[in-house]
Amino acid sequence: GDEDWECLKYLRRLKKTAQNYNGDVTLVFGNHEALNVLGDMRFVSEKAMFATARDYVDHEIQSLQEAEKLRIHAFRPGGPGALLLADLCGDSPVAKIIGDTLFCHGGLHLSTLDNHHDLNDDDYVNKLSTLNSQAKDWLLGCAPHPTALAPSGRSPVWSRVYSNPAGSEPSIRSCNEARDTLNALGGLKYMVVGHTPQLATGINHCCSGVIYRIDTGASAFYGGKREALEFRPDQPQPRILSPTVRFDFF
């Protein structure tokens, strides 16, 4: 959207505030973040181009072409935009395990970890840790783009296997694959994914409650529901939070 750059800076401020109170704000990497770091700005609005560019020059930007070049420069691996993403994602930019839950933008598949030639380990937890480290090093400008993040139906930032069709059950095979992945990662209970907007239903679960799909299309572009998924140690399962009145974050 038009305010993606402002959103990232807001999240950085929120992260610092949360850490002052023994909390944290952490993100997982998505396909649009990957495209920005790769220099592909086809989904970035004109307003967002200029907003990013104005933070790095002290003169008036003359054209959209100049703004796009500055945005590409900012988000290049090791650039300030990529470093901001690295800071927000922490040590697990691709897929993050918190408690008994795996968070991943598109969805994680064991075949991705098996086929990634740099992950020579029989332990899937170690394989995921290696992939996360490689992705972080790429953001920092210290390593090449991990092949596992390239656009494909099985990429953890591009997959729609678990999130599509929106609001309906994936195939039985896909549900079994999700369970196998969670079991291989230490017997996790849930996988939380985004990527495919669930416009009609909002946040929903599938595969007998194993997968939660949280992309509601809440941006102004889609006009979807404003919801959040809450995990609490005193609750037996995640809870969907929905506001009863409209509110603004910014």
Side-chain angles (χ1 to χ4, degrees):
D2 288 340
E3 297 176 326
D4 64 349
W5 183 240
E6 286 80 2
C7 285
L8 289 174
K9 294 193 294 182
Y10 169 77
L11 288 169
R12 178 171 58 187
R13 295 194 301 271
L14 190 62
K15 181 181 183 73
K16 292 179 179 179
T17 300
Q19 290 174 338
N20 289 335
Y21 293 90
N22 297 318
D24 203 0
V25 172
T26 184
L27 307 186
V28 290
F29 204 64
N31 59 309
H32 286 274
E33 288 76 25
L35 287 171
N36 273 262
V37 180
L38 289 168
D40 186 337
M41 301 295 166
R42 78 182 94 164
F43 297 109
V44 179
S45 73
E46 180 175 330
K47 184 177 178 181
M49 295 277 197
F50 279 94
T52 309
R54 290 191 188 101
D55 272 3
Y56 298 107
V57 295
D58 56 5
H59 64 268
E60 184 177 351
I61 300 168
Q62 299 298 320
S63 66
L64 177 59
Q65 183 179 23
E66 181 185 1
E68 181 176 3
K69 287 181 178 179
L70 288 166
R71 169 116 178 178
I72 291 172
H73 187 72
F75 275 94
R76 75 195 188 282
L83 294 179
L84 175 54
L85 290 174
D87 180 49
L88 289 171
C89 292
D91 293 330
S92 304
V94 176
K96 191 179 304 288
I97 297 173
I98 301 177
D100 59 3
T101 304
L102 175 72
F103 297 85
C104 185
H105 178 72
L108 192 64
H109 305 274
L110 293 184
S111 58
T112 301
L113 299 177
D114 285 333
N115 295 334
H116 191 40
H117 67 277
D118 291 332
L119 306 179
N120 298 316
D121 196 311
D122 292 330
D123 187 319
Y124 284 101
V125 174
N126 289 339
K127 287 185 176 185
L128 177 57
S129 178
T130 299
L131 178 56
N132 276 322
S133 296
Q134 292 173 352
K136 182 176 182 179
D137 287 344
W138 174 53
L139 293 175
L140 297 176
C142 304
H145 178 228
T147 57
L149 302 188
S152 77
R154 296 278 160 170
S155 167
V157 299
W158 288 96
S159 173
R160 297 188 192 272
V161 170
Y162 305 134
S163 60
N164 198 41
S168 299
E169 284 288 318
S171 68
I172 295 175
R173 179 179 179 181
S174 296
C175 289
N176 288 336
E177 184 177 4
R179 293 187 184 93
D180 290 343
T181 300
L182 294 174
N183 287 333
L185 292 172
L188 301 179
K189 191 173 182 179
Y190 305 110
M191 185 187 304
V192 177
V193 302
H195 195 37
T196 301
Q198 311 289 311
L199 297 178
T201 61
I203 294 175
N204 64 88
H205 59 73
C206 59
C207 301
S208 300
V210 170
I211 295 174
Y212 277 80
R213 304 182 288 194
I214 64 169
D215 186 344
T216 66
S219 69
F221 179 81
Y222 285 110
K225 298 179 180 180
R226 297 189 177 191
E227 295 181 328
L229 187 64
E230 179 187 59
F231 290 82
R232 293 173 59 102
D234 59 344
Q235 293 178 350
Q237 60 189 29
R239 181 173 66 157
I240 299 171
L241 304 179
S242 299
T244 56
V245 296
R246 181 179 177 85
F247 60 90
D248 293 316
F249 289 104
F250 307 106

